[in-house]
Amino acid sequence: MNKGLFITFEGIEGSGKSTQAIQLAEHLKERGYSVVVTREPGGTPIGVAIRQILLDPAINDMDYHTEVLLYAADRAQHVAEVIRPSLEKGKIVISDRYIDSSIAYQHFGRGLPLDLIIEINERAVQGLKPNVTFLLEIPVELGIERATKVSADRIERESIEFHKRVEAGYQELARREPERWRVIDGIPMVEEVHQSIVRALEVFL
Ligand code: TYD
């Protein structure tokens, strides 16, 4: 039922997703596509308020269920307000993170049951799946160093072991659904990574 094309970017902190999402959007706009670039958490005004709670480094006692529900609440609003209406207009939507982040961080990272996360998110998004998901891969130590240079938010300050579980989780997800995932080496220079993404996207356009 998707009329447009729904592209998501996933990866650990500091993997360069946000830069690549913006570059891809620019490239597609130059080619004449109508493109919306957005992110989670915080792709809507309600989402911005939820994001503040989720990433507040002063909060030390958030229950993992609260966390997964807040990410899903942000996502429900994001799908209803931004993603679905844009796809229905035939646009390309590029989201910096989506449900796979909840599976990687809240299931593989936190240890919450996979079926719980899938059920909550299915209700939040009512079946809306990405057409293609790019996983940007860089070593965890490098990503965390890049991401926390200035300051670390509530999730970034988790242990290296936590982030390694998230990374391994992403690799597992990409293995399980190779037709949707495209794994991209995030180590080279920005332009080179961008070209790999553009090449990998061709078959979906
Ligand atoms: P953000 O500053 O947007 O980080 P990044 O640039 O790495 O995307 O913060 C989002 C944080 O929230 C990031 O640490 C990943 C985490 N997250 C989850 O744990 N679950 C989710 O479902 C989503 C969308 C993000």
Side-chain angles (χ1 to χ4, degrees):
M1 213 216 45
N2 282 6
K3 277 202 248 150
L5 185 73
F6 185 20
I7 301 169
T8 58
F9 277 84
E10 296 286 352
I12 59 160
E13 332 286 316
S15 58
K17 293 175 289 90
S18 315
T19 308
Q20 291 299 333
I22 292 165
Q23 282 227 358
L24 181 63
E26 289 311 313
H27 168 84
L28 292 170
K29 281 181 199 164
E30 278 165 23
R31 285 180 57 178
Y33 292 100
S34 182
V35 185
V36 173
V37 57
T38 184
R39 70 162 177 181
E40 292 188 359
T44 63
I46 290 172
V48 169
I50 296 173
R51 178 185 171 90
Q52 258 178 358
I53 304 171
L54 276 168
L55 300 184
D56 186 348
I59 296 178
N60 296 310
D61 54 356
M62 190 182 295
D63 180 82
Y64 292 170
H65 294 86
T66 309
E67 183 177 280
V68 79
L69 286 162
L70 284 174
Y71 279 114
D74 165 77
R75 187 163 296 130
Q77 189 64 30
H78 192 208
V79 168
E81 189 176 326
V82 178
I83 303 177
R84 206 184 291 277
S86 304
L87 291 174
E88 278 168 2
K89 286 185 196 133
K91 296 185 181 186
I92 295 181
V93 176
I94 302 176
S95 184
D96 182 354
R97 299 194 180 281
Y98 191 58
I99 294 181
D100 298 301
S101 283
S102 284
I103 300 177
Y105 283 79
Q106 279 68 51
H107 168 59
F108 288 101
R110 299 294 198 207
L112 286 179
L114 179 61
D115 56 356
L116 175 85
I117 290 162
I118 290 180
E119 192 190 330
I120 289 169
N121 278 282
E122 273 304 306
R123 285 174 191 248
V125 310
Q126 294 165 45
L128 184 68
K129 276 194 92 166
N131 300 101
V132 52
T133 299
F134 290 106
L135 172 57
L136 289 193
E137 284 206 309
I138 59 158
V140 173
E141 287 80 2
L142 177 63
I144 297 306
E145 191 195 306
R146 276 190 197 167
T148 57
K149 237 180 213 146
V150 183
S151 66
D153 66 34
R154 199 180 60 85
I155 306 276
E156 284 165 350
R157 64 164 191 219
E158 284 293 333
S159 64
I160 284 285
E161 290 67 38
F162 172 85
H163 292 284
K164 289 203 162 152
R165 288 199 298 279
V166 172
E167 181 200 37
Y170 273 131
Q171 289 166 347
E172 174 64 27
L173 291 176
R175 266 197 298 276
R176 283 184 200 165
E177 235 186 313
E179 60 293 343
R180 172 165 69 92
W181 288 80
R182 292 295 178 272
V183 180
I184 304 285
D185 178 3
I187 297 176
M189 302 295 283
V190 172
E191 184 54 30
E192 204 176 314
V193 177
H194 172 65
Q195 291 307 332
S196 309
I197 291 169
V198 167
R199 274 196 302 276
L201 188 66
E202 274 315 314
V203 291
F204 295 91
L205 289 173

